[in-house]
Amino acid sequence: MDIKERAGFTSKFGVIAAAAGSAVGLGNIWRFPYVAGENGGGAFLLIYLLFILAIGVPVMLSEFTIGRKAQRNTLGAFRKLAPRSGWSIIGVMGIIAAFVILAFYSTIAGWTLEYIVKAVSNSFQGKNTDILFENFKSQTFFPLLWQFIFMILTATIVFMGVQKGIERYTKILMPLLLLLIIAMCIRSLTLEGSMEGVKFLFNPDFSKITFNVILEALGQAAFSLSIGMGALITYGSYIQKDNHLPNTAIQVATADTVIAVLAGVMIFPAVFALGMDPQSGPGLVFEVLPKLFMQMPMGYLFSILFFVLLAVAALTSTVSLLEVVVAYFSEELNMSRTKATIISTSMIWFFGIFATLSFSSLKDFTLFDLTIFDSLDYVSANILLPLGALLIVIFLGWKFGKRQTYLETTNEQSIPFKLFRVFFFIVKFIAPIAIVFIFLNSLGLFRFLQS
Ligand code: PHE
């Protein structure tokens, strides 16, 4: 059976813009600083970078390879490449992960919209921005409304199709975001007392490292690169046959990493200079950045621009998450794109309500000591994505195999891929062993190694 005609990305830059649009998002600017802050700063950064290079890039390339070869959504891809086998579980897990991530991601994405309004109405000036943030997130109505609006925006773009929406706008907006972050890094670094923050981010204190910190770093690397759940299998299926997949993976991962590190350089010097706590969790950027704007020349203008771009960065990521589900519904369950978009958006929005309310009415409702929001965040990044990544590399290394991987990554031997052997060795042995080892350790199975 061959599917209805598949639209694809139209240019090389379009592929990078879309994949980098998926990778660069709240994970870099909102999640990375607060997770690094809670896990010891510099030492965390070092392990994070190692994981990006040694596991993240190979997994990303594996996903592109699977997607482009199969020309299908994430579940359909495994059904096609390994018919009537258990491998489709990877696709099922990916779709579940998309649900879980979108549910809590849209809460924070909604916050960025509120902060655009706050910035435009000059609400930070002369206010205690911590209290401002507390007051906002503990309401029920507005956070839910913004989340709803954000889901509608996401659905609209997915509905319009990826090229005409995402591909077109990310090309302009992503470089703009980068420039703005650089401007804010300069302001942050020139505040009095900022060096403490630089030290916190770059001086590794290895006494802070436990196996849980290592798992957090792996989870953050996976989350930030959008790997482990099939978003990049789905996008890979839209990539043209002449694209150099290894280069694309490296470029996307580089863009993602640069933006995460710059976000750290923007936040931590300011956190220390303004006497705040680096461990203040998910609210970190929403409390720190407004303070930074108030201390900047043209802060009013910068604040508006920044939150608009943050919302855009979030949107290009939510689109890639929703696309996973919509591509599955429309290709495997034979729904029209419209129907698939409406159904999946409503279902995810419903789940998302619980994530948003865990900052207000459901604040005291906890599972394993975590609020609903925190547990969705933890489970998806630290369990579902690393597990998905593990199964994906095992699939490529042991089932799809060396020959087919070689042919797909070299476009049927028409382009060179010098590091193929290294890549395949990592995929077949190193990455699976490393991920299993990290999992077992964080479950506490090798406690003796920690003492
Ligand atoms: N990588 C995105 C971010 O950093 C989040 C994401 C995760 C998107 C998984 C798609 C899949 O914001």
Side-chain angles (χ1 to χ4, degrees), residues 342-413:
I342 294 175
I343 293 183
S344 48
T345 308
S346 327
M347 286 165 71
I348 293 167
W349 167 71
F350 178 76
F351 277 120
I353 291 178
F354 296 94
T356 300
L357 291 185
S358 57
F359 291 95
S360 53
S361 8
L362 296 176
K363 196 164 60 202
D364 300 320
F365 183 86
T366 55
L367 305 156
F368 301 108
D369 264 0
L370 295 174
T371 61
I372 299 176
F373 179 93
D374 287 336
S375 43
L376 294 177
D377 178 337
Y378 188 90
V379 166
S380 58
N382 298 343
I383 299 175
L384 287 174
L385 298 186
L387 197 60
L390 172 67
L391 295 176
I392 287 168
V393 283
I394 294 180
F395 175 81
L396 204 79
W398 298 87
K399 168 77 188 163
F400 193 66
K402 193 166 183 173
R403 179 82 196 142
Q404 287 209 75
T405 304
Y406 185 69
L407 290 177
E408 190 60 37
T409 50
T410 57
N411 302 349
E412 309 291 328
Q413 292 175 306

Side-chain angles (χ1 to χ4, degrees), residues 21-28 101 105 220 222-227 229 231 256 313-314 317-318 320-321 385:
S22 169
V24 176
L26 297 174
N28 308 58
I101 296 175
Y105 201 92
Q220 174 59 27
F223 188 85
S224 190
L225 292 176
S226 301
I227 57 174
M229 45 83 62
D256 189 67
S317 299
T318 52
S320 73
L321 286 159
L385 298 186

